[in-house]
Amino acid sequence: MAARPSSCPARTRSPATAIWFLPAAALLLFLLRSPPMASFPPASPRGSGSSVQARRAELYAKMARDLDERGAAFLRGGETSQSLTLSDLFDTVDGAVVPKLKTAEPPVRANVLYLNPEFAVAISKAVKEIFLPYFDQVIWFQNTSMYHFSMFHASHHLEPVAATEDEIEAEVAAVKRVTGTVCPLKIVLDRVVLTSTGVLLGLWQVESGTDPAEIRSRLREALPRAPQKQLYDPALLHTSFARILGHPKLPQEQSTSSFDNVRFFHELVARVNEKIRDLEATVSDLWYVEEYDVLALALNGKMKVRRLHLGCNEG
């Protein structure tokens, strides 16, 4: 079982689950950390709750259409949301998919909301039950101790922002002040989608607590040196569950020439949604993470984590 990230640098590797994912972290870059990823301008401050919810619904509908509009690009060796190829991120060793860990220069500094394994384990179980029979040895599952929602980067690969140890500690202190004002979130799984890059994503709505768009706005104010262009739409609240790396194993009676990949993937995703759609969860912690390996959160790489509690309800 993969070790939980510690407060000091440590390299952990996930159990070899015969799979390979998400460009995998797609941000998950893979996926595993992410969906279609582009640069987004600074979050506009404090839109109304209804406008943020409407933007989120619009965004999720667009992401659900991605596979139909672009096809299963990952079966053709396409790139991840961070312009990495699957072969850049994964290898197969003794029949098991393993990540190719590469040093991030400079380290990425990310702020992510953390999803407790209490909720992640149930999600992963449903995903594996449906996808593993068809994608054994060609799928990578996100480590359930590292399910997260990317919020805001103090430095990322498109716009690195160098920082000394003192500057990093100042950033942590600033983020801690923000988390003291942020209320824990009660969220519900709106839907699961599969992107054209092969990332299986959970898209969430917010029922109560501080909205992610507001959290990003506060982090922007607290971290003025951060890249102006961030990696995700301010309304987005997503988690990477897995990344598909290759073709499915078909029943012997199924003709490859007549096989409809997109339809098949939609059927699998529909089955996952039947199991876990509308699942409710609570989010009570934000992590400030230094990723010393590329996509460390997605690929179980080397990182340093500061765990900060969302404390608006305390005292």
Side-chain angles (χ1 to χ4, degrees):
M1 183 168 61
R4 291 173 63 90
S6 65
S7 59
C8 59
R11 185 180 298 275
T12 60
R13 295 182 185 271
S14 62
T17 56
I19 72 173
W20 63 277
F21 160 61
L22 172 217
L27 158 34
L28 244 332
L29 312 37
F30 133 74
L31 150 137
L32 254 214
R33 190 151 84 208
S34 115
M37 195 159 82
S39 296
F40 288 88
S44 56
R46 293 119 173 123
S48 69
S50 59
S51 66
V52 172
Q53 291 283 10
R55 169 57 185 162
R56 193 170 288 134
E58 175 187 2
L59 181 63
Y60 292 176
K62 180 179 180 180
M63 294 172 72
R65 296 192 299 269
D66 180 58
L67 185 63
D68 288 316
E69 294 174 352
R70 299 174 182 271
F74 59 93
L75 296 180
R76 304 189 295 272
E79 293 182 342
T80 71
S81 56
Q82 292 192 14
S83 300
L84 298 169
T85 64
L86 294 176
S87 60
D88 289 331
L89 295 170
F90 299 96
D91 201 353
T92 302
V93 178
D94 295 330
V97 174
V98 295
K100 293 181 178 179
L101 297 175
K102 298 181 180 180
T103 301
E105 292 289 358
V108 167
R109 303 193 303 281
N111 293 277
V112 305
L113 293 176
Y114 178 65
L115 186 64
N116 193 288
E118 169 189 356
F119 308 106
V121 169
I123 294 170
S124 183
K125 180 175 183 291
V127 170
K128 288 180 178 179
E129 285 178 352
I130 292 169
F131 277 84
L132 193 54
Y134 298 100
F135 296 97
D136 186 33
Q137 300 185 28
V138 289
I139 189 168
W140 172 262
F141 296 107
Q142 176 72 19
N143 186 334
T144 55
S145 70
M146 295 187 198
Y147 271 38
H148 62 277
F149 312 85
S150 291
M151 285 287 105
F152 191 84
H153 283 75
S155 178
H156 57 61
H157 67 294
L158 295 178
E159 190 178 335
V161 177
T164 65
E165 285 299 320
D166 286 345
E167 287 171 332
I168 290 172
E169 292 306 319
E171 286 183 353
V172 174
V175 172
K176 187 174 182 179
R177 289 192 290 272
V178 170
T179 59
T181 71
V182 170
C183 295
L185 287 72
K186 181 179 180 182
I187 60 176
V188 60
L189 185 58
D190 182 271
R191 70 186 79 181
V192 177
V193 302
L194 180 67
T195 72
S196 61
T197 56
V199 182
L200 190 69
L201 295 174
L203 307 179
W204 301 77
Q205 292 286 357
V206 179
E207 295 194 329
S208 65
T210 307
D211 194 90
E214 175 64 17
I215 295 173
R216 289 180 169 111
S217 181
R218 295 183 192 181
L219 289 170
R220 158 62 62 198
E221 294 177 358
L223 301 171
R225 298 176 62 246
Q228 286 299 302
K229 290 186 177 181
Q230 291 289 310
L231 302 180
Y232 302 99
D233 187 289
L236 182 63
L237 186 64
H238 76 289
T239 314
S240 295
F241 297 155
R243 176 173 285 283
I244 300 174
L245 306 173
H247 290 265
K249 296 179 179 179
L250 303 179
Q252 291 184 349
E253 64 273 13
Q254 175 69 58
S255 168
T256 303
S257 60
S258 64
F259 183 64
D260 185 337
N261 279 317
V262 171
R263 179 179 178 181
F264 175 73
F265 290 131
H266 278 312
E267 290 173 350
L268 294 185
V269 172
R271 289 171 57 192
V272 173
N273 275 303
E274 288 175 2
K275 283 181 171 287
I276 60 175
R277 191 171 190 171
D278 296 328
L279 179 140
E280 295 182 343
T282 55
V283 177
S284 302
D285 295 283
L286 181 144
W287 286 6
Y288 177 101
V289 183
E290 294 176 73
E291 294 182 282
Y292 299 120
D293 287 332
V294 174
L295 298 176
L297 277 164
L299 304 180
N300 298 332
K302 184 180 180 182
M303 68 186 81
K304 183 175 183 178
V305 174
R306 276 86 158 192
R307 300 170 177 81
L308 306 173
H309 193 63
L310 305 184
C312 88
N313 291 333
E314 297 177 355

